[in-house]
């Protein structure tokens, strides 16, 4: 079994913390308790985190979904935790103050956000923390998509944002993670973890026709998802956006910064869906 220990996934102390839930539209997790510190990842609305300590307006938390650790604003969190009943399946949607499209919006929440529906009126769902959501933009929690590449394509042209995990800004692994999460498969946060811990290696991946739709191609520090055996979709700093391009054109350009590709991985959706992966079960 691989070694799943990683400092990025390890809180500074063991023991029981306080379970809380993201009530903001998005919560930035930073490398230090400062607003100008590097954003290492984001927690979506409705995600649960374990709070270990506080420093001023920030709290040190570990995300339940992928074990990532970082500092986030306490104002983005609330308790107690509500059991989610639905998830946002639209790329993004507004949360409204009332069940009417002319009512004041609270703000945007993005695909993958978890919500607890407590009622329905006028084509809107009432949620415990997100206000009223258009019913057509959410799905029951056990309903998932089947094609990660199709989901990833919805993010086409979304701006690149280091540490981002939503359609208003995301990075390469934010894209692959969102695409597979919508299909019921949890991927680790960073590209080295995804390469080491997810799916199976694609032998002779660079042979003509070897790659398939939904295969992940990895560099040291980068990943993209294949739309077919020739076309790569990825969030990248060159385009500063999610872009699709021929893999054979992307490889030499990316090699200037990240070297040659490390390989490719194939994830069996039917096998991995709703299963707790080994890296996540390991604590």
């Amino acid at each position: 079994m691989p070694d799943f220990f990683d400092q990025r996934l390890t809180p500074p102390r063991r023991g029981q913390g306080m379970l809380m839930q993201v009530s903001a539209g998005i919560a930035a997790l930073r490398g230090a308790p400062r607003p100008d510190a590097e954003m290492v990842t984001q927690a979506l609305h409705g995600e649960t985190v374990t709070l270990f300590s506080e420093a001023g307006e920030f709290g040190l938390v570990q995300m339940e979904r992928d074990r990532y650790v970082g500092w986030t604003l306490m104002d983005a969190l609330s308790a107690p935790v509500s059991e989610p009943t639905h998830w946002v399946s639209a790329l993004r949607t507004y949360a409204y103050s009332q069940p009417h499209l002319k009512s004041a919006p609270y703000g945007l929440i993005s695909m993958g956000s978890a919500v607890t529906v407590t009622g329905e009126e006028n084509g809107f769902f009432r949620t415990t923390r997100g206000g009223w959501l258009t019913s057509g933009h959410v799905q029951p929690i056990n309903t998932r998509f089947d094609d990660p590449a199709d989901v990833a394509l919805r993010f086409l042209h979304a701006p690149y944002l280091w540490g981002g995990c939503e359609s208003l800004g995301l990075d390469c692994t934010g894209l692959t993670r969102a695409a597979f999460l919508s299909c019921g498969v949890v991927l680790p946060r960073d590209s080295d973890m995804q390469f080491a811990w997810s799916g199976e290696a694609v032998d002779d991946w660079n042979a003509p026709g070897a790659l398939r739709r939904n295969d992940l191609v990895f560099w040291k520090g980068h990943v993209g998802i294949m739309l077919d055996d020739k076309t790569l979709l990825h969030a990248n700093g060159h385009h500063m956006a999610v872009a699709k391009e021929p893999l054979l054109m992307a490889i030499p350009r990316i090699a200037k910064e990240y070297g040659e590709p490390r390989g490719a991985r194939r994830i069996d959706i039917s096998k991995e869906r709703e299963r707790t992966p080994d890296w996540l079960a390991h604590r």
Side-chain angles (χ1 to χ4, degrees), residues 208-231:
L211 292 173
R212 301 178 189 169
R213 185 175 176 88
N214 293 317
D215 285 347
L216 299 178
V217 178
F218 291 89
W219 290 258
K220 186 178 182 180
H222 189 59
V223 62
I225 185 169
M226 298 301 295
L227 301 180
D228 52 41
D229 64 333
K230 298 181 179 66
T231 310

Side-chain angles (χ1 to χ4, degrees), residues 44 87-94 108-113 133-139 145 151 154-155 166-167 178 182:
L44 301 176
W87 65 285
V88 174
S89 55
L91 192 61
R92 68 184 78 93
T93 191
Y94 275 104
L108 285 167
I109 56 178
S110 288
M111 177 183 283
S113 298
L133 305 180
T134 304
S135 60
H137 286 182
V138 299
Q139 297 283 342
F145 298 136
V151 177
R154 301 185 189 190
F155 290 85
E166 61 163 344
S167 63
S182 71

Side-chain angles (χ1 to χ4, degrees), residues 23 38 49 65 73 102 112 115 120 127 130 146 152 225 234 242 254 277:
S23 52
E38 177 188 343
V49 300
R65 172 155 60 111
L73 289 169
K102 292 184 179 180
V115 296
E120 184 176 5
T127 66
D146 296 315
I225 185 169
H234 58 147
V242 177
I254 297 173

